[in-house]
Structure formats: structure tokens, C-alpha cells
Amino acid sequence: MLEKMIFGRYIPGTSFVHKLDPRSKLSFVFLFIIAVFLANNAVTYGILLGFTLLVIFSSRIRIYFLINGLKPIIFLIAFTFLMHIFFTKEGAIIVDWKFIKIYEEGLRQGIFISLRFLVLVLMTSILTLTTSPISITDGMEDLLNPFKRFKLPVHELALMMSISLRFIPTLMDETDKILKAQLARGSDISTGSIKQRIRAVIPLLVPLFVSAFKRAEDLAIAMEVRGYRGGEGRTRYRQLKWHWRDTVALALLGVLVAALVLLRG
Amino acid sequence: MMKEVLSMDHVSFSYQSEEGVTEKAIDDISFAVQQGEWIAIVGHNGSGKSTLAKLMIGLLFPDEGEVNVFIQKLSEANLWAIRSRMGFVFQNPDNQFVGSTVQDDVAFALENNGVPFTDMVTRVHESLAQVNMSNFHDHEPHHLSGGQKQRVAIAGALALKPELLLMDEATSMLDPQGRDEVIRVVEELKTKTGLTVISITHDLEEALLADRIVVMNKGKLLTTGTPTQIFARGDELEAIGLDLPFAMKVSRLLRESGMELFGEHMTEEELVNGLWTSHFSK
Ligand SMILES: Nc1ncnc2c1ncn2[C@@H]1O[C@H](COP(=O)(O)OP(=O)(O)O)[C@@H](O)[C@H]1O
Ligand SMILES: [Mg+2]
């Protein structure tokens, strides 16, 4: 189940979208999220959907893979759709069968809102699927740089994020080891009442935390010894490069916004 | 003309404990390290080796005595300048890997010291080549073995072109193969670049490779000398809880059971030579 979830996963590749600078992708998605709310009729929603499909196509991520990975979200979208259909009571009645009455406005709202939801989820998934977490961090750090003036600790936040990302697999391995060690001692976290199971998790968490703190201490010492003194006077090894394709991507978004503004009802 | 790289001058240090009882973790230690030397510091667990290392890089400051690095007294004022001239490799391969990929980690110290981007790229490549990790630039730490991670840590230290490499039990968490890889890399560096190395270990086999050995016992300096001098006192080493090299143990056991063997045999080769010539001296 968890392997199929694609939320937050990164699939390496060499497509147009993969090669975009993380800064342009992040601003693209951010602006797109705002632009989505411009759509308010069939034409504009159609354009939005078409545009999203175009982006998916140029990321070379298979639609089947996307839909499969987003199943839990699709359920949520379907639920939203049904809510609108049954609870909006405006416009002409189009279906009247026994106790079920579906109004025209309900159907319209249901389709639009679900489409909006779908497009947002697809676009953000494409972002995380085509950008490595560390690139996202780099992009964020760069985009947020102006906020340093307002005392936002941008460098520290980015470093925190990259270290957390770096230690996820390490701590996962550790959890696995501890789990096996406790299982070998007869602990059982998969049966029994909820209360029993929660109690069985404690001997897992305690050693995990102890070791995580030990790691944090070691890491802090290692960083200090290697000359880390905060962001001041630091150079960067990861360089971000703006290419013509980034300009093209943002220009395309500009075209989309213009079309939405012109064609909205 | 020998140049002094580091010296300890009557250094003592004790940790502040909650009960206020302070036993000295380091007790009146003095020794000096010359340029180009490979020094091994050996001692049982808790003998104060890591504390000594922390005093050398200014993570701790001595209660009494002086620590001099590059002929300057180590103090808060020159701490960062001195650190940028030395490399440090710790025990746990995972807990010192800061970057998200091999090359990011090697560049970490360079970034901290404000090295310009173009220099960084060449230095990262050079350092990784020096530790035979050139094909691993984009690898993530969890896809590397312990030995590989330690070699990356060494590359990270080398990137700053250090004058002194300090290793605190850098091989103790590795499997035999990883351990050999790391030792081979350090040996190679030593012969090629004349790097000064201080290697802390409780593995006497590794200490055999050093030019000079410093033996610690309960915070005190027991003795210093060449490996031959030190291993001539095998009984004392065993008495303070150190595990003798395998060849040496075999040679001692053989003599105990009545074989006529002359002298100590520190390596397997020496032992074999000692064995096949043992009848000639009759
Ligand atoms: N942070 C600390 N606080 C208090 N005591 C410590 C601390 N670190 C080490 N010690 C004590 O100092 C002594 C020397 O420890 P250490 O230098 O780590 O030895 P080694 O590295 O040779 O195993 C030990 O008795 C240890 O318990
Ligand atoms: Mg130690």
C-alpha cells in the first residue's frame, strides 16, 4: 500500500520538466495554484485540464502510474463530487428518481470543484515526482532569500530540511533493526488490543530516540569541527542555473493565465 | 629539520560531573608530534583517548597545561583558523555524513570556509580520487558501505588540504574489509603526500603501521616508542587490557608450550620467518 503512494516520492528522469530549475518549478506551481481559482466556466476548466495534461505529458510520467498512486486522493475527490451533487439545490432538476433529486447547479459545481481539486493534486505531484527533495530545498532557500531581511532564518531552515532528508533512510534502517531485535525478544506489535499494541511500540521508540539524540550530538560536533559557523560567509556547492527552458515554462504559464482571464465568464 | 605540528604540555582535564567528584580523564600528559609522522594513540576503552582528541581540536580546553597546534597555543581566538588546517574523522560513519550525496559531503568543509565554487569542484574531484571514490560522486550515504563512508569522510577532510589528519577510532565500526580499505588509503596518503597522521585506536594491529605509538592508561600516558619498542613490552600491554596482534599471540603461546622461538613476532610474516628458521639457530 505504502509503496504505491506517490505522495512525496521522487522519480529520477531526464524529461523537460525534470530538467527545469527547482526555483522555476516552485514558482510555477505556486502561481498555478492561484491561477486555478480564475477558472469559472466549462471553457476555462477545460483549458486548465488540458494544460495539466500537457505538463504531465512533458514530464514523461505515465498517467496510469499517477492515477494508481493517487487512489486515496481520487476517493476524496469522488466524495467531494457526491457531496456537491446531493446537497446543492439550485437550477433545474435533471434527475428525479425515487428519493434522489439531482439539480443542474449541483452537477456543475460537483464537476468543477472536483476538477479543481484534481488539477491541483496532479500539478503538485508532478512537482515532487520530478524534483529531488534536496533540489526543492535548494530552490526554497533561494526563493526565500529576500525574507532574510525580516529575520527569517532561511539558511538554517534549509539546512534543517536537508539534514532531516539525509537522515530519513538512516533512521528507517535503525527502526527496522530495533523492530527485529524486539521481535526476537518476543515483542509483538501486530496483534492484541489497541492498548496492547501502543504499549508494544514504546520499547521501539525509546531506543530509537536515544540513538537519534546520540546521532544529533555527534553530527553537531562533526559539523563544528569541519568549520560550520552558520550561513554567514559560506559559499555554496550546489549551484542553481536558470536556463532558457525555465523562461519558456513561466511564459507558458503566463499564456495560461491570459487565456483564463480572457475566457472566464 | 623537523617541524613540530602538535604538542601537549602537561595537559590535565576532568569532566564536571553532577556529584562534583571530578576524576581526571586526562592526567598530566605531554608529547609532541613532528611533521610527516604517523602517530598511533592506543589505550583501553575509557582511557581518555577521545578526550585527548577533543582537546586537540578545541572542543574541550585543558584545566592545566597547554595544547599547541601549529606552534600556536590553541585558544578560542585562533580556534577556527587552526581547525581549517586540520582534518578530523570520527568513529561513526553515519553520524558525520552531513551532505545528501558524496560530493556534497566532501564540499561541506569547503563551503564553510568560503572557498569559491570553481575551486570547490576541482578540490572535490581531487579528494575523491585520492580515496579511490571517484565513481561515487552522486551516491547517497545509505547506499554506501561503512568503509566507503569513512573514505568519504577522509576525502572531506583532505579537501581542505590539511596539515594534520586526526582519526578517532575511524575503523572500529567497520568490517575487516572496510577497515583494510581505510587503512590502505591512509597509508597511501602518508607515503604520497607526507601528511601527518594521528590515529586513535584500540586495535594494536593498526598501531603496528605507525611510526610511533603513544600508550594511554586511565588518563595517564604510560609510554611512547616505536612499534618494536612498544610491543617488546607485550605483558604490560595485556595487563592494561589491550588485545595483542594475532601473530604475537601465536608466537607467545608457541613459546609457552616449549618451542624455541627468539624474540617477539609482530606480523604474520615475521612469525613465519621465525618459525622456519627456528631450527637453524640450534
Ligand atoms: N561527556 C562526558 N562527561 C563526563 N565524563 C566523560 C564524558 N566523556 C567521557 N567521559 C569519561 O572520561 C573518561 C575517558 O573517556 P574517553 O575519552 O571517551 O575514553 P576513550 O575514548 O579512550 O574510550 C571515561 O572514564 C569516561 O567515562
Ligand atoms: Mg573514544
Side-chain angles (χ1 to χ4, degrees), chain B residues 15-16 25 43-52 54 168-169:
Chain B
Y15 287 101
Q16 302 298 327
H44 58 88
N45 264 332
S47 60
K49 305 183 298 290
S50 296
T51 311
L52 200 60
K54 283 181 184 156
D168 186 359
E169 309 240 12

Side-chain angles (χ1 to χ4, degrees), chain B residues 95-108:
Chain B
N95 298 2
Q96 56 184 317
F97 207 112
V98 186
S100 43
T101 65
V102 166
Q103 50 177 339
D104 287 307
D105 191 64
V106 175
F108 183 70

Side-chain angles (χ1 to χ4, degrees), chain B residues 78-99:
Chain B
N78 58 17
L79 190 61
W80 295 100
I82 283 179
R83 277 182 188 163
S84 72
R85 292 168 66 186
M86 55 203 277
F88 205 111
V89 180
F90 292 92
Q91 179 174 23
N92 190 317
D94 264 314
N95 298 2
Q96 56 184 317
F97 207 112
V98 186

Side-chain angles (χ1 to χ4, degrees), chain A residues 99-143:
Chain A
F99 60 94
I100 297 173
K101 283 196 181 72
I102 294 177
Y103 296 83
E104 193 188 320
E105 194 59 24
L107 186 65
R108 219 174 84 96
Q109 285 287 328
I111 291 175
F112 285 178
I113 302 286
S114 320
L115 260 181
R116 183 186 283 172
F117 203 175
L118 181 71
V119 162
L120 286 177
V121 170
L122 284 174
M123 206 54 121
T124 42
S125 300
I126 291 291
L127 171 72
T128 54
L129 281 172
T130 62
T131 324
S132 70
I134 193 69
S135 300
I136 295 187
T137 311
D138 287 340
M140 293 266 222
E141 180 173 3
D142 215 80
L143 288 175

Side-chain angles (χ1 to χ4, degrees), chain B residues 26-78:
Chain B
I26 294 293
D27 193 355
D28 192 27
I29 284 193
S30 305
F31 67 89
V33 180
Q34 307 297 328
Q35 191 170 39
E37 267 192 307
W38 178 340
I39 301 282
I41 300 179
V42 300
H44 58 88
N45 264 332
S47 60
K49 305 183 298 290
S50 296
T51 311
L52 200 60
K54 283 181 184 156
L55 287 163
M56 291 178 186
I57 39 170
L59 284 169
L60 299 171
F61 287 96
D63 300 333
E64 290 162 49
E66 272 182 24
V67 179
N68 297 296
V69 190
F70 309 124
I71 331 184
Q72 301 163 56
K73 187 183 172 201
L74 190 63
S75 68
E76 300 270 0
N78 58 17

Side-chain angles (χ1 to χ4, degrees), chain B residues 2-3 24 31 76 96 113 121 129 170 180 186 202 205 210 255 261 266:
Chain B
M2 292 266 251
K3 211 173 113 198
K24 283 184 177 171
F31 67 89
E76 300 270 0
Q96 56 184 317
N113 283 284
V121 176
D180 288 347
V186 177
H202 63 240
E205 282 219 43
R255 242 175 314 161
L261 275 170
M266 298 189 295

